[in-house]
Amino acid sequence: MAFYYEHPKAEIPHGFSERRKLYVLHHVMNFGFGLAKFLEKVGIASEIEVLRTLMEGIPPLKDKQLFIKDLIFEKVEVRLYQPTISTTGQRRGILYFHGGIGLFGSIKAYEKTCRYLAAKSNSVVVSVGYRLAPEHPFPTQFEDCLSATIHFMRTAQHYGVDPSRIIICGDSSGGTLTAAVAQALVHRRDLPKLRAQILIYPFLQGMDFNLPSYQQNKGVPILLKERSFSLLFRYLNKDVALIKEVCKCTHVPQDLQLKYQKWVNTDYIPCEFKTRGYKPSPAHSFSQEIYTQCKPFLDTVFSPLLAEDSVIAGLPETFILTCEFDVLRDDGLLYKKRLEDHGIKVTWCHLQEGFHGTVFITLWAEVAAFQSGAKGMEKIINFLSLM
């Protein structure tokens, strides 16, 4: 199954202050996708291997502020970051689940992100190196993250961490995993309760891909709508020929349509997020065949926004970061509403000039730092300081 490799023009809204920098980033990414395809074609390396290597970037130098060690938590590779400065008590602990649509990303790729979190928040950070698709099919990624989290919760004091101050955090698909792990722990009575969850521009639902943010930002780098669909289908090992049908919502039975409308509904998205244009999608007939092939899209591990009310009501305090120029913006807005409707305390950070990936890119490549990314990370560190 091939990736999506066409190089569409970037659709960056006028008035975006860092327009030129985002254009450059868009072309660099297009080059990376094209290079990966070429190297596979000539037999040097598979496209997915090339893209994973490119995402890892240049390793940072040693950091005297941190003690860094590779460990294994329940057969899952992790990297532990502990501040070297002395402390009078136990620290907070942060488990970080990286992004990459379940196909890319790694401990190495997120080295700078986790170092920054550990140093700036004076926390013990555990970067989880969950196994990737397609070699390890969905939901292996969730299972690895859950196993690593449970192990850390049970052994937190061994690493100088207060078990009552454990936070899980992730960006993009790592945000999906964060939400899914938090939900899986809601009814556990043999473990300490999570202190908080941090969702950074998360993907949260596979029901409606025609929300305002999908329509408005389909051509905005870096998460182009068509390319993201191609990668999502690769992650779930589904035929990309099904994309058009899934976009029409033909994979959702009528009874589930009615049920999910309580949670996934454009009426719940504030009017100010529809001003750049939104056109309601026409209704299409349900297809049993499409539903059968695309059931994972409605699995709450893949779509945490579709979890039952009893689960949502038990979630910990939450930080949600959304970006104006991101197809996933409305997933975050809808989840925010669901949590607040159930009395969950939510700290919301909306980056008015933010785009998908801005926080990761700002830390990953300092020369490509974006003001929105720096602001987002500042807000995350401020939130952590209260935990």
Side-chain angles (χ1 to χ4, degrees), residues 28-45:
V28 168
M29 288 195 64
N30 279 343
F31 173 78
F33 274 88
L35 176 64
K37 183 179 181 181
F38 171 76
L39 291 177
E40 177 168 271
K41 188 175 182 178
V42 298
I44 295 177

Side-chain angles (χ1 to χ4, degrees), residues 90-329:
Q90 295 178 315
R91 290 186 167 92
R92 74 178 62 81
I94 304 170
L95 288 125
Y96 197 93
F97 309 140
H98 65 76
I101 318 186
L103 297 165
F104 313 110
S106 63
I107 289 173
K108 290 181 180 179
Y110 278 74
E111 178 78 6
K112 291 183 179 179
T113 300
C114 292
R115 285 191 186 189
Y116 188 94
L117 283 172
K120 293 296 182 180
S121 70
N122 190 26
S123 304
V124 174
V125 174
V126 176
S127 181
V128 180
Y130 57 85
R131 291 169 292 173
L132 301 174
E135 301 95 324
H136 304 282
F138 168 86
T140 300
Q141 299 67 39
F142 161 74
E143 293 166 352
D144 283 357
C145 289
L146 180 60
S147 295
T149 300
I150 292 173
H151 179 93
F152 185 59
M153 296 179 90
R154 287 175 171 162
T155 61
Q157 291 180 317
H158 179 72
Y159 304 104
V161 170
D162 181 346
S164 68
R165 298 175 68 202
I166 293 176
I167 298 144
I168 55 175
C169 175
D171 66 303
S172 191
S173 60
T176 317
L177 293 167
T178 299
V181 168
Q183 291 181 3
L185 296 174
V186 162
H187 297 304
R188 295 288 294 257
R189 297 294 175 259
D190 58 327
L191 298 168
K193 185 177 175 60
L194 287 173
R195 178 64 184 87
Q197 61 173 337
I198 298 176
L199 312 179
I200 305 170
Y201 32 76
F203 172 90
L204 295 171
Q205 59 85 29
M207 173 190 164
D208 188 348
F209 294 102
N210 290 294
L211 296 172
S213 60
Y214 272 103
Q215 294 186 22
Q216 296 163 356
N217 302 312
K218 62 182 180 180
V220 177
I222 60 175
L223 194 62
L224 303 169
K225 183 177 179 179
E226 291 187 59
R227 181 178 288 162
S228 66
F229 280 154
S230 179
L231 295 174
L232 277 176
F233 274 70
R234 176 68 180 264
Y235 172 46
L236 295 177
N237 193 30
K238 301 299 178 183
D239 188 346
V240 293
L242 299 172
I243 290 177
K244 288 185 178 180
E245 291 303 313
V246 170
C247 285
K248 294 177 182 177
C249 241
T250 61
H251 64 302
V252 186
Q254 189 173 10
D255 60 330
L256 293 183
Q257 281 271 11
L258 293 173
K259 178 180 179 179
Y260 297 153
Q261 277 295 310
K262 296 183 296 182
W263 310 322
V264 185
N265 194 319
T266 55
D267 291 343
Y268 301 147
I269 297 170
C271 293
E272 59 264 32
F273 293 101
K274 301 174 187 175
T275 56
R276 288 196 288 122
Y278 165 65
K279 183 179 180 181
S281 301
H284 295 277
S285 300
F286 165 68
S287 167
Q288 181 64 47
E289 179 184 355
I290 302 301
Y291 170 64
T292 300
Q293 295 185 61
C294 297
K295 274 188 177 180
F297 279 89
L298 305 179
D299 187 321
T300 54
V301 168
F302 185 78
S303 297
L305 183 54
L306 306 182
E308 296 296 330
D309 287 339
S310 59
V311 173
I312 298 296
L315 289 171
E317 184 173 345
T318 302
F319 177 100
I320 298 178
L321 183 146
T322 56
C323 293
E324 178 61 29
F325 303 112
D326 179 11
V327 292
L328 301 183
R329 180 196 68 203

